[in-house]
Amino acid sequence: MKAISLSVLTVMVAGSLFAQAPSPVQTNVMVPADGRVPIFSVEVTSRTIRAVNYHHRQGTTKIAFRGTALMPDARGEAEVTPNDGATRVNLHFDHLSNPVQFGSEYLTLVLWAITPEGRPERLGEVTLRDADNKSASLYATTDLQSFGMIVTAEPYFSVSRPSDVVVMENFVRDDTTGTMQDIDAKYELLRRGQYSANVGTAGVAAVTADLNVPLQLREARLAVAIAKAQGADQYAADTMQKAATDMINAEGFYKSKDLKRLETSAREATQMAEDARRITVQKEADAAKAASAQREADAQAKATEEARLRAGAEATAAAAEAQKREAQMEMAKAREAQQDADAARRAAEAAKAAALAEQQKLAAEKNSAESARQQAETDAQRLRERLKDQLNLILMTRDTARGLIVNMSDVLFDTNQATLKPGAREKLARVSGILLAYPTLHLTVEGHTDSTGSDAYNMELSRRRAESVRDYLVSNGIAAAGIEAHGYGKDRPVASNDTAAGRQQNRRVELVVNGEVIGQPLSDSGQPGTNPALNANTR
């Protein structure tokens, strides 16, 4: 026998997606007024089941099932017969309940085999024919020899991964035969509401609420709705067309009460819709990866071009300096030849000419130095403007006497926490990529809060948030010696703390960028995109 430790991994989805209801493993979930529940970041919960290594030719053995906390009264038994080429499993379950209790998108129960390596394999659908039926039987085969079994609630029978709504698990009976071995394994469970996140509560109810419609047809309707919401009409049009054809047939058989042919067409439509959804998810992931690679390539090309332009400017300046020295040497030789030829006769004139030449030389050098200084200031101003424009594409940036101040209005923290959210990390990673092109810049991260809470708490929270931003910039290649972090608590408000809007403006993190390479501050009067510091976190 093998003990498999199952880690339930739920993956963060964009904030625009919402699930039906909180997962059983979530705590302190706040439900918005519209009834939708946001999908949260990674949460892991662990559970252990027993898996059996069913050796070939050892005959039939029995293994039992019992309900989890989600369906505690459920019970079941399986007879497992290993043969060459396949393992046969004959199962019967009692005291089951309707999976719709976990959310309107859950229409059926699905049996899974889990390998010691954490790979799930769908064995079949545990079908409750009507609301009053509490028992179900299932016959399945698998190529696996060593596995554990679980039952999960699902929107339809052909899902490709188990959900985290685990309602039953196998456990070893006293008369169960097999090889015992403790094994720790992980496998991913799809978080509650993931399949129907794009459909919404009303969309799910529209296709599942009528209990007079056969289960197979309701599953097919829900599978097609989920696939459409995922964008399968665009990314898997051929497969969706096949699903649509099957649905037309199934709906027709429903009207004619041909239940046998209805079940066949509905199950085909469900499988086609699931295939289309999986194709769409893969294509969307590939597109996102390609877009990310293109952005990185564009940034690298831009950095390379800027480096080339800087090298060209430096080479031009060096050539001009060499020409200046060569001209000075030629002038000195000419004066020396003239003085040698007419030293006696034109000594006074030569001295006067030499003095005049020296005066002209000094004036020329002074003019040249002034031109060089003006050019350096111009170059620094242009560089400052370009850096400001680059940063403004990512985060609101304004120019002040202290330097460029990046207002991290989208750099959000969890309430009363100093840990950067993934959206903030993405923006700061892009800011790091820009700042790496200017290694001589000095950066100061300043954290601020409103007046809510004690002075000591606000000072500590602002310091930790500033240090969190600093540490993330350093982790992305910014030199630690060139960046510092400070927390000022409520001491430097930019608005009144007497109003909610003012307090929101005061809760912020600012990145001050300065250095000789970007010269004196620019005038920002009247320019767009230079509003005062915006809210960078919430409390």
Side-chain angles (χ1 to χ4, degrees):
M1 236 105 22
K2 300 178 180 180
I4 301 180
S5 175
L6 307 179
S7 292
V8 181
L9 179 61
T10 62
V11 182
M12 177 178 182
V13 179
S16 61
L17 301 182
F18 290 85
Q20 281 291 114
S23 167
V25 302
Q26 296 170 3
T27 59
N28 300 325
V29 177
M30 299 299 293
V31 179
D34 61 3
R36 298 187 297 172
V37 179
I39 295 176
F40 299 102
S41 57
V42 174
E43 296 180 16
V44 177
T45 186
S46 297
R47 58 174 27 153
T48 300
I49 67 172
R50 303 292 292 179
V52 179
N53 186 345
Y54 302 99
H55 294 293
H56 288 174
R57 306 179 186 277
Q58 72 174 8
T60 299
T61 188
K62 294 183 179 181
I63 193 165
F65 282 78
R66 60 188 167 201
T68 66
L70 298 179
M71 198 179 288
D73 295 333
R75 295 292 182 270
E77 181 180 272
E79 292 183 350
V80 183
T81 305
N83 288 322
D84 290 338
T87 300
R88 295 177 296 171
V89 186
N90 198 2
L91 305 102
H92 182 77
F93 301 103
D94 291 308
H95 305 294
L96 300 175
S97 56
N98 196 323
V100 76
Q101 64 184 297
F102 308 119
S104 58
E105 74 267 30
Y106 294 106
L107 300 181
T108 191
L109 302 174
V110 174
L111 174 68
W112 302 86
I114 308 298
T115 70
E117 295 76 23
R119 177 173 62 86
E121 177 181 303
R122 187 178 70 248
L123 297 183
E125 182 179 20
V126 180
T127 305
L128 295 176
R129 292 298 179 181
D130 54 63
D132 297 327
N133 196 338
K134 304 300 182 182
S135 299
S137 296
L138 174 65
Y139 175 78
T141 61
T142 178
D143 294 334
L144 301 176
Q145 177 178 317
S146 179
F147 57 92
M149 289 180 284
I150 62 173
V151 177
T152 61
E154 303 293 350
Y156 45 86
F157 75 91
S158 62
V159 292
S160 55
R161 282 199 302 170
S163 75
D164 65 355
V165 187
V166 180
V167 299
M168 294 188 74
E169 301 171 334
N170 70 208
F171 71 94
V172 177
R173 300 173 15 149
D174 292 339
D175 58 350
T176 302
T177 60
T179 301
M180 290 185 290
Q181 179 183 357
D182 290 334
I183 295 179
D184 290 329
K186 293 182 180 179
Y187 72 96
E188 294 182 357
L189 293 180
L190 199 61
R191 192 178 169 281
R192 180 183 291 201
Q194 188 73 42
Y195 280 112
S196 58
N198 293 335
V199 180
T201 304
V204 172
V207 297
T208 64
D210 188 356
L211 299 182
N212 292 321
V213 176
L215 174 62
Q216 291 79 7
L217 184 54
R218 282 184 285 139
E219 289 185 32
R221 289 175 177 176
L222 181 55
V224 171
I226 290 173
K228 286 178 176 289
Q230 188 69 45
D233 283 334
Q234 174 184 355
Y235 290 100
D238 292 344
T239 307
M240 283 298 289
Q241 182 59 47
K242 295 177 183 178
T245 301
D246 288 330
M247 282 301 299
I248 292 173
N249 294 335
E251 297 287 357
F253 294 139
Y254 175 54
K255 292 180 180 179
S256 64
K257 302 187 181 302
D258 189 343
L259 298 183
K260 183 175 182 180
R261 298 173 71 184
L262 178 151
E263 180 174 351
T264 299
S265 295
R267 290 179 75 86
E268 289 179 356
T270 301
Q271 185 62 59
M272 286 297 173
E274 170 62 8
D275 291 345
R277 187 196 67 81
R278 293 179 64 186
I279 292 171
T280 299
V281 170
Q282 184 60 49
K283 287 186 176 180
E284 287 175 342
D286 293 343
K289 183 177 180 181
S292 177
Q294 184 60 47
R295 287 193 299 271
E296 292 180 3
D298 291 344
Q300 182 61 38
K302 185 174 182 180
T304 301
E305 177 63 14
E306 290 177 351
R308 186 188 67 79
L309 293 176
R310 285 196 303 273
E314 292 171 356
T316 300
E321 182 64 24
Q323 290 177 356
K324 176 183 175 181
R325 290 195 299 268
E326 183 178 353
Q328 290 174 346
M329 292 175 62
E330 292 296 328
M331 289 175 62
K333 290 179 180 180
R335 286 196 303 270
E336 185 178 355
Q338 181 179 358
Q339 290 171 359
D340 289 344
D342 201 15
R345 185 172 58 85
R346 302 182 60 182
E349 293 179 1
K352 181 179 179 180
L356 180 59
E358 185 65 20
Q359 182 180 3
Q360 292 174 343
K361 174 184 174 183
L362 292 175
E365 291 178 347
K366 180 178 179 181
N367 291 336
S368 177
E370 179 63 19
S371 297
R373 184 189 64 77
Q374 294 176 354
Q375 183 62 43
E377 291 182 355
T378 300
D379 291 344
Q381 292 290 79
R382 290 175 179 172
L383 186 61
R384 188 185 190 97
E385 292 172 349
R386 181 165 65 248
L387 178 58
K388 176 187 173 186
D389 292 341
Q390 290 174 327
L391 294 174
N392 251 326
L393 293 175
I394 305 171
L395 294 167
M396 195 76 71
T397 303
R398 70 181 190 275
D399 199 342
T400 70
R402 300 172 61 203
L404 299 178
I405 297 182
V406 180
N407 298 312
M408 289 171 276
S409 58
D410 291 330
V411 180
L412 303 179
F413 296 88
D414 287 323
T415 303
N416 288 323
Q417 300 295 319
T419 302
L420 289 168
K421 288 188 174 181
R425 292 174 178 271
E426 178 186 356
K427 291 182 180 296
L428 286 178
R430 294 169 62 192
V431 169
S432 300
I434 293 173
L435 296 178
L436 284 173
Y438 309 89
T440 61
L441 291 176
H442 183 269
L443 311 177
T444 303
V445 185
E446 299 178 349
H448 304 274
T449 68
D450 58 21
S451 61
T452 304
S454 68
D455 291 351
Y457 177 82
N458 286 330
M459 187 64 70
E460 176 64 13
L461 179 60
S462 64
R463 179 188 63 77
R464 288 193 296 112
R465 287 180 171 174
E467 290 177 349
S468 180
V469 172
R470 177 200 64 192
D471 293 343
Y472 187 74
L473 292 175
V474 171
S475 72
N476 277 269
I478 301 299
I483 183 170
E484 56 186 282
H486 302 286
Y488 295 106
K490 67 177 185 179
D491 294 341
R492 297 187 179 184
V494 295
S496 172
N497 279 309
D498 295 334
T499 66
R503 290 191 296 274
Q504 185 180 33
Q505 288 184 343
N506 290 332
R507 296 192 298 268
R508 67 196 189 279
V509 174
E510 296 179 338
L511 176 64
V512 182
V513 182
N514 53 36
E516 293 183 0
V517 69
I518 57 174
Q520 296 301 315
L522 302 174
S523 173
D524 248 353
S525 176
Q527 295 185 13
T530 58
N531 293 328
L534 299 179
N535 180 23
N537 53 276
T538 59
R539 297 183 44 197

